[in-house]
Amino acid sequence: PKSACTFCPYHDDALWWSVTSGEGATTNNKVLKLDMINNGWLVYDIPMNGIYVRNQDLYFGSPSTGTILLFGDSTSDNGSAINAYWKSRDFFGSSPFLDKDYWRMSTSALGVAGSTIAVTYEVNGSSAVVYGIPVYTGTDGFVKRNIPFPLGTTGSVINVKFGNNAADQPFEIFGSQIEYTDRA
């Protein structure tokens, strides 16, 4: 895939890049955000040009309409859903040389009415398994979900992706852990 980067300012404890990505793409169509606090990457499907920070607000130009927009002012992109996600690195647990039996993933997230987080995991780079976590209980400001892995989920590395591509359904993950047992 083709990729080019524009100016990357510092905003909200992160560095921001607007890039052209994908076969046949000719304008910036993705935003890469490097979170400097959590040392993690976020990817947004937002067409963005000319990033500018003023009074702690992030402004950007639309590559197709010539308008100036304020980032974070809405949870949709002109009525369309914003595809946002966070993906972990590959974790090998106690040793990269031992297989593990994966038992359960526990996740704590911000409670948001009507919102569901898509959780995807891959063991040993195999086919992705996707399931949804509703993140609203009606009473709590945050939710905890414990999801068991299917019996026989075994491998040496695992990665996890949290995302949402629905309009007006923000999400925020506070933490997640994976329970496993080393195999002999």
Side-chain angles (χ1 to χ4, degrees):
K2 172 181 157 184
S3 182
C5 180
T6 62
F7 175 67
C8 47
Y10 181 82
H11 169 69
D12 195 25
D13 295 317
L15 292 173
W16 298 73
W17 285 269
S18 178
V19 298
T20 302
S21 178
E23 192 68 36
T26 58
T27 61
N28 293 341
N29 57 357
K30 301 242 188 253
V31 173
L32 304 176
K33 175 184 174 185
L34 175 59
D35 184 329
M36 302 299 283
I37 292 176
N38 298 310
N39 195 27
W41 288 92
L42 294 165
V43 179
Y44 297 98
D45 285 345
I46 302 174
M48 180 184 284
N49 277 343
I51 302 170
Y52 177 67
V53 177
R54 180 163 187 216
N55 296 331
Q56 299 180 353
D57 289 324
L58 181 70
Y59 294 90
F60 63 94
S62 167
S64 58
T65 64
T67 56
I68 297 174
L69 305 164
L70 173 63
F71 181 83
D73 193 39
S74 173
T75 56
S76 66
D77 180 20
N78 198 20
S80 298
I82 297 171
N83 185 21
Y85 63 88
W86 175 86
K87 185 174 181 180
S88 75
R89 61 183 172 89
D90 285 337
F91 290 105
F92 57 82
S94 58
S95 170
F97 305 107
L98 291 175
D99 277 347
K100 294 128 193 87
D101 290 317
Y102 296 103
W103 300 108
R104 176 173 52 189
M105 181 180 346
S106 301
T107 302
S108 177
L110 178 69
V112 178
S115 190
T116 299
I117 299 171
V119 180
T120 307
Y121 68 88
E122 294 177 334
V123 176
N124 289 353
S126 65
S127 299
V129 177
V130 182
Y131 60 89
I133 298 178
V135 289
Y136 188 66
T137 63
T139 58
D140 295 330
F142 68 96
V143 296
K144 292 182 280 183
R145 299 284 187 235
N146 298 312
I147 306 296
F149 289 116
L151 193 60
T153 303
T154 302
S156 58
V157 297
I158 190 168
N159 66 54
V160 180
K161 176 178 160 183
F162 298 99
N164 186 314
N165 62 357
D168 301 318
Q169 289 192 20
F171 69 93
E172 186 172 340
I173 304 293
F174 297 132
S176 187
Q177 71 179 17
I178 295 173
E179 296 176 43
Y180 67 90
T181 305
D182 285 332
R183 298 184 114 193

